[in-house]
Every structure is written in structure tokens, then in C-alpha cells.
Amino acid sequence: VPVAEEERLLPLTQRWPRASKFLLSGCAATVAELATFPLDLTKTRLQMQGEAALARLGDGARESAPYRGMVRTALGIIEEEGFLKLWQGVTPAIYRHVVYSGGRMVTYEHLREVVFGKSEDEHYPLWKSVIGGMMAGVIGQFLANPTDLVKVQMQMEGKRKLEGKPLRFRGVHHAFAKILAEGGIRGLWAGWVPNIQRAALVNMGDLTTYDTVKHYLVLNTPLEDNIMTHGLSSLCSGLVASILGTPADVIKSRIMNQPRDKQGRGLLYKSSTDCLIQAVQGEGFMSLYKGFLPSWLRMTPWSMVFWLTYEKIREMSGVSPF
């Protein structure tokens, strides 16, 4: 049998391993995203309230924020805007996660298997995993930044409507087009630095913890490579990712959502460092953990749904476990 023939007889996942892993992690991410999106929306709204820098602009925005804790914020959205509005902006979120999760998973595995050459006895040093996780986050996030920007701005649309401000976008594609028209190609990468910093931290938390805990459990405890192990590992990874990621997330949301001048430069913060200093000085260190609870409550189920789905889809389509 000629080689080309043999290639054609192989299952798709073996013929195009990277593309199929990209698609599989995209599917898993879509499932996880739909399941936990309302928590994300609540988290974004929570992080925006009581922003000290906005009060300087005299937007009068302070008085118009009746929301407080997490449950009341979610109920407030349901009461004032309707139940389905909890999924407002889910389309760009899914676009984002297909690009982002696909990018980061493929990068991480490529680094793990090819660049760092994971040894056969499954022992993989932590520092390699940390670098791999951070690199994967950086690459995945850089690819996904335009979709992320659209997502944050679409999530704030519902709030603009309530405040009686005109809506900015008709839908995802209109939002893309408008951001492009106003800020050019560079406008689509607004806020990419804090974004990438956050993605590096979160993936150091997520991928590194998951990989390390999972292989530790499989090698050193009687647990097999099954749902139990996947569940435990993803619980740990969700927690670590939240602790590392929340401060960067607060800063990212604020920078992306700040008003801009004609050149696309922010009016409130000069840089992510500036935003960090202002937040700590104006609102105290713990303000960096605003929305930690919804963030953690979202990371953990997201991470669980994602990893369990991903491992299951891989198993079903005959790809080796992660």
C-alpha cells in the first residue's frame, strides 16, 4: 500500500492532529462557555461598579449603580433586562474561546511534546510546565484579543441601554466593523498587554496546575486517569487560576472599558501599571480582588466542564488523554 493511501485510511485525528485538537478544545470550550456565561457577565458588571477613576470624569456614573453583591447583581439583570440577557454577548465569547482555547491547548501540547520533549516515564518538571502554560496563554490570548475586546464591550451594552445612553453596536459583526473603523487594526488589539499578562498568569494557573496535579495523581496515588482525577485536577486548576488571574482581570476590564480619545488613547489610565497604582491607592489592595468570588465560581465550573468535556471528546475521537 503506498504511503499516501495509508495516510488516507488513518482517522482524521491522526492525519491532522493539531487541527483536530484545535477543534476539540474549541468544542469543549463552547460547552463550558454556555454553561458558565451568566457568571462571567455578572463578574464584568461587578468589576465596573464604583470605579474611582470614573468619578473624576464626573460622569455621574456613581449614583446610577444600584447593584451590589453577586446574587443581587444577577437578579438585578434578570429583573431589569430579562433572563436571556444573562447570555448577552455570548456569541463573541464563544468566538473568543474557540480561538483562545484552541490556540492555547495546541501550543501547550506542542511545547510539551516537541519543544520540551516530555520523557516517556511521564515525569515533567514543573518549570517547563510553568513556561509552557505561560507561553500557551500568551499565544492563545494574542490571537483572540479582537474577539475579547468585542466581548467586553458587548457585555456593557445592556448597562448602557439602562442608563439611557445610545447603543454602540447592532451585533457582533457591526461591533467588529465599528472598532476597526474607529481605531484601525491596532484598535482591535486595544488592551492586549494587560490581556496577555492576565492570560499568562491564568494559564500558568490553569494548564500547569491541571497537568501537574493530574500526572501527580496518576503516578503517585491509586487513582486512574478517569473522571475522578480530571475532576480533582480541574478543581485545583480553577482555584489557582483565579488567585493568579483576578487582579490582572480587574485591570484588564477597566482598561478595555475606559473612555478613549480620538487617537484611541485611554482617558483614565496611561498603562496597566498606572491602573494598578490608581486602584491600590484609590480603593485599597483588596480592590484588585473585586469580583473574586464570581471569578472563582466561574473559573472552577468552567475549568471542570472544559477539562471533563475535553478529555471525554478526546477519548471518544481516539486521541490520547491530555
Side-chain angles (χ1 to χ4, degrees):
V1 187
V3 180
E5 272 297 295
E6 266 184 25
E7 285 246 303
R8 279 229 310 284
L9 296 174
L10 281 175
L12 280 179
T13 48
Q14 281 163 17
R15 276 208 333 248
W16 293 308
R18 292 220 180 91
S20 52
K21 277 174 188 164
F22 189 92
L23 283 173
L24 292 182
S25 43
C27 292
T30 304
V31 174
E33 197 51 45
L34 283 169
T36 60
F37 189 79
L39 280 167
D40 186 47
L41 183 73
T42 309
K43 183 195 77 176
T44 308
R45 295 281 181 94
L46 266 177
Q47 285 173 345
M48 290 306 159
Q49 67 185 17
E51 208 173 318
L54 265 181
R56 281 211 325 264
L57 272 181
D59 206 354
R62 277 255 158 121
E63 291 74 66
S64 65
Y67 295 152
R68 282 293 162 257
M70 183 181 145
V71 179
R72 300 224 328 254
T73 303
L75 289 175
I77 295 173
I78 295 176
E79 272 169 34
E80 293 161 26
E81 304 169 49
F83 178 67
L84 285 176
K85 282 289 182 284
L86 286 174
W87 278 271
Q88 173 145 23
V90 74
T91 329
I94 287 176
Y95 284 163
R96 168 186 183 252
H97 266 292
V98 169
V99 178
Y100 168 68
S101 294
R104 76 187 180 124
M105 301 306 289
V106 172
T107 307
Y108 185 77
E109 280 200 72
H110 180 75
L111 286 172
R112 185 175 69 176
E113 259 82 62
V114 183
V115 184
F116 289 140
K118 188 170 154 202
S119 51
E120 275 310 294
D121 63 349
E122 296 295 309
H123 178 69
Y124 188 54
L126 185 66
W127 66 269
K128 285 185 177 177
S129 182
V130 167
I131 294 175
M134 290 181 81
M135 288 292 299
V138 166
I139 290 171
Q141 181 57 54
F142 187 75
L143 295 173
N145 200 72
T147 47
D148 206 21
L149 185 69
V150 172
K151 182 188 97 169
V152 171
Q153 302 212 350
M154 297 277 289
Q155 278 179 339
M156 297 319 284
E157 282 298 74
K159 197 171 158 193
R160 283 177 76 91
K161 196 153 124 194
L162 277 185
E163 290 170 359
K165 295 182 188 164
L167 287 186
R168 291 176 295 187
F169 317 115
R170 285 193 299 276
V172 183
H173 301 110
H174 180 226
F176 264 114
K178 197 165 167 186
I179 294 171
L180 247 179
E182 285 171 9
I185 295 279
R186 279 186 54 194
L188 286 174
W189 267 269
W192 69 278
V193 181
N195 240 337
I196 277 183
Q197 290 161 348
R198 171 179 173 273
L201 289 167
V202 167
N203 280 296
M204 187 171 88
D206 188 33
L207 292 170
T208 307
T209 313
Y210 183 80
D211 204 14
T212 312
V213 171
K214 179 178 155 180
H215 287 115
Y216 178 83
L217 289 173
V218 171
L219 294 176
N220 302 326
T221 65
L223 288 172
E224 297 288 303
D225 191 342
N226 57 16
I227 272 198
M228 189 68 198
T229 320
H230 302 163
L232 278 172
S233 315
S234 62
L235 273 175
C236 296
S237 72
L239 180 64
V240 178
S242 290
I243 293 172
L244 290 174
T246 302
D249 195 29
V250 171
I251 286 167
K252 177 198 88 154
S253 290
R254 288 183 170 194
I255 284 187
M256 283 184 139
N257 207 51
Q258 67 178 336
R260 300 181 174 276
D261 64 9
K262 287 283 178 283
Q263 284 77 48
R265 281 196 299 265
L267 299 174
L268 302 181
Y269 311 111
K270 290 192 284 292
S271 63
S272 41
T273 331
D274 181 42
C275 181
L276 177 81
I277 294 166
Q278 280 196 44
V280 174
Q281 281 178 350
E283 308 159 60
F285 177 74
M286 287 318 286
S287 72
L288 295 177
Y289 281 92
K290 265 192 185 170
F292 174 76
L293 189 70
S295 173
W296 175 66
L297 281 175
R298 172 169 196 276
M299 281 279 195
T300 308
W302 197 96
S303 167
M304 281 194 72
V305 176
F306 174 75
W307 285 113
L308 294 177
T309 314
Y310 188 50
E311 294 272 16
K312 195 74 204 153
I313 302 182
R314 282 180 75 127
E315 191 190 315
M316 278 157 46
S317 53
V319 181
S320 61
F322 182 71

